[in-house]
């Protein structure tokens, strides 16, 4: 998403190529959440959402990248993360966002669960071209 970060607030970029990368993403989101001043509960929510989305990027998207950083809109500040892959995309977004539905062996809470844990959730997918999910958790 263009324009999410202000000039000088460039995001950190994390590769998503192997399971060990998920640990680095969680650590990065935790550090950003602390820097932003998110409550412990809100830190846990965005870290959990990011972990689920990074896992989806790896397993279903075949890998990709995560860009994460602090965002400032009007008088609000928060933590944003953008998960991008060039995988097969999501053929039926409504079905994929349904609680309990899974295309694999998971619990079916990845996308819908992540959406509930954050304040802003945007999903863009094109079958055959990939998926981008953007999340933001705002400081209270």
């Amino acid at each position: 998403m263009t324009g999410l970060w202000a000039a000088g607030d460039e995001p950190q970029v994390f590769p998503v190529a192997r399971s060990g990368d998920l640990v680095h993403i969680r650590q990065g989101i935790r550090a950003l959440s602390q820097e932003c001043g998110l409550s412990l509960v809100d830190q846990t929510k965005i870290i959990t959402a990011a972990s689920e989305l990074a896992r989806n990027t790896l397993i279903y998207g075949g890998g990709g990248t995560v860009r994460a950083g602090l965002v400032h809109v009007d008088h609000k500040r928060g933590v944003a993360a953008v998960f991008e892959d060039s995988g097969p995309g999501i053929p039926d977004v409504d079905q994929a966002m349904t609680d309990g539905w899974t295309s694999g062996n998971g619990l079916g809470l990845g996308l819908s669960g992540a959406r509930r844990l954050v304040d802003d959730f945007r999903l863009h997918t094109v079958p055959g071209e990939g998926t981008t999910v953007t999340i933001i958790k705002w400081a209270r």
Side-chain angles (χ1 to χ4, degrees):
M1 168 179 285
T2 305
L4 185 61
W5 287 276
D9 284 337
E10 296 303 317
Q12 298 175 37
V13 179
F14 300 91
V16 183
R18 56 185 182 82
S19 61
D21 293 335
L22 305 183
V23 173
H24 298 293
I25 293 163
R26 285 192 297 268
Q27 290 170 339
I29 297 291
R30 178 181 308 282
L32 288 166
S33 299
Q34 291 170 342
E35 182 179 345
C36 184
L38 295 182
S39 70
L40 186 57
V41 169
D42 284 344
Q43 288 178 39
T44 301
K45 286 179 179 181
I46 193 166
I47 292 164
T48 301
S51 183
E52 288 295 317
L53 294 170
R55 182 180 170 279
N56 283 358
T57 300
L58 179 63
I59 293 172
Y60 302 111
T65 60
V66 177
R67 291 179 291 130
L70 301 179
V71 291
H72 306 277
V73 175
D74 297 324
H75 297 289
K76 298 189 303 184
R77 70 183 192 288
V79 176
V82 179
F83 303 79
E84 296 177 295
D85 68 60
S86 298
I90 302 170
D92 187 339
V93 172
D94 290 335
Q95 183 180 44
M97 293 299 295
T98 301
D99 284 346
W101 186 86
T102 179
S103 63
N105 296 323
L107 297 175
L109 297 174
L111 289 174
S112 62
R115 179 177 58 184
R116 282 193 306 276
L117 291 169
V118 298
D119 300 315
D120 192 351
F121 180 96
R122 297 176 218 155
L123 182 141
H124 176 76
T125 186
V126 177
E129 294 183 21
T131 300
T132 301
V133 179
T134 302
I135 60 172
I136 302 174
K137 190 71 178 168
W138 298 109
R140 310 262 179 249

